[in-house]
Amino acid sequence: MPSEATKYALAKAMEECMSTQSVENITVTEIVRRCGVARQTFYRNFLDKYDLINWYFGKLLARSFEHMGSGRTVREGLERKFEYIRAERVFFAAAFRADGTNSLKEHDTEAIIAFYTGLIESKTGAPPAGESAFLLELYCRGSVAMTVKWVLGGMKTEPAELARYMVDALPEPLEKLFCRLNML
């Protein structure tokens, strides 16, 4: 059974590799060598290096949003997320440069849509539908694109200011829904 400690060790090794080269150039062989485990250990835990990146990002995302649904606002959750991204800038800068179907950008988008959908469903008893679902996906895709731009552009905007921009960019129907659900 895969252990969390092993997964985190592999993620740390991946992050070390990312500090000196692009994700595309990193091999599983290099990751396991840095981590001191066998290739079999890697493949018992992950499908490929992108699966490792996405798993680690999922952990970071969960950590950055862990309190949002219990009294914290969307803005506070976003600010915490951006602070965490800034602290882990080497990982995110390298991971956001990679493209493809299993890329961090796509994983981030799907995870954030699922997060907000789950939060709305927990508060209303039903997932967003129709226009709300469309606007939520549109907003999440745009926010990921702007987050990537922020990371790859050197993170010049402070996390609190970026979080404010993201909340200000909510489409009006979503803003009203989030207000009604005490999420803003």
Side-chain angles (χ1 to χ4, degrees):
M1 177 135 188
S3 79
E4 287 289 298
T6 300
K7 288 181 174 186
Y8 277 108
L10 287 165
K12 184 68 176 162
M14 179 68 171
E15 189 172 18
E16 289 170 8
C17 293
M18 293 166 93
S19 69
T20 60
Q21 58 190 311
S22 70
V23 172
E24 290 80 13
N25 292 330
I26 298 169
T27 64
V28 170
T29 300
E30 185 174 0
I31 296 166
V32 298
R33 183 185 53 76
R34 282 184 186 255
C35 189
V37 299
R39 284 177 65 87
Q40 290 174 322
T41 301
F42 180 91
Y43 287 112
R44 272 196 302 269
N45 288 279
F46 302 104
L47 299 173
D48 57 23
K49 62 188 174 184
Y50 299 103
D51 190 35
L52 166 60
I53 290 168
N54 290 338
W55 173 84
Y56 188 55
F57 180 74
K59 292 296 184 180
L60 299 179
L61 183 67
R63 195 174 306 145
S64 69
F65 280 106
E66 64 189 0
H67 299 296
M68 184 183 277
S70 60
R72 296 204 178 245
T73 65
V74 169
R75 185 172 173 172
E76 289 170 335
L78 287 170
E79 188 174 340
R80 289 181 67 222
K81 177 184 177 185
F82 298 141
E83 287 168 352
Y84 201 84
I85 288 172
R86 181 178 265 176
E88 297 285 342
R89 71 174 37 99
V90 169
F91 169 81
F92 284 100
F96 279 145
R97 282 188 187 94
D99 286 314
T101 55
N102 200 19
S103 71
L104 180 61
K105 289 179 256 190
E106 189 57 33
H107 181 74
D108 187 15
T109 301
E110 296 305 320
I112 290 172
I113 292 169
F115 175 81
Y116 282 122
T117 297
L119 192 57
I120 291 166
E121 186 171 4
S122 74
K123 292 178 176 281
T124 66
E131 180 186 30
S132 292
F134 175 84
L135 291 173
L136 181 63
E137 182 175 350
L138 180 70
Y139 172 75
C140 290
R141 289 190 181 283
S143 70
V144 169
M146 294 310 292
T147 300
V148 169
K149 183 176 179 178
W150 176 68
V151 170
L152 298 182
M155 302 181 187
K156 295 176 182 106
T157 305
E158 289 298 316
E161 186 176 9
L162 185 59
R164 183 178 57 81
Y165 292 162
M166 293 289 188
V167 170
D168 289 349
L170 275 167
E172 186 177 348
L174 278 185
E175 182 181 2
K176 287 179 180 176
L177 175 63
F178 283 18
C179 282
R180 186 170 51 86
L181 299 176
N182 295 316
M183 293 167 52
L184 289 180

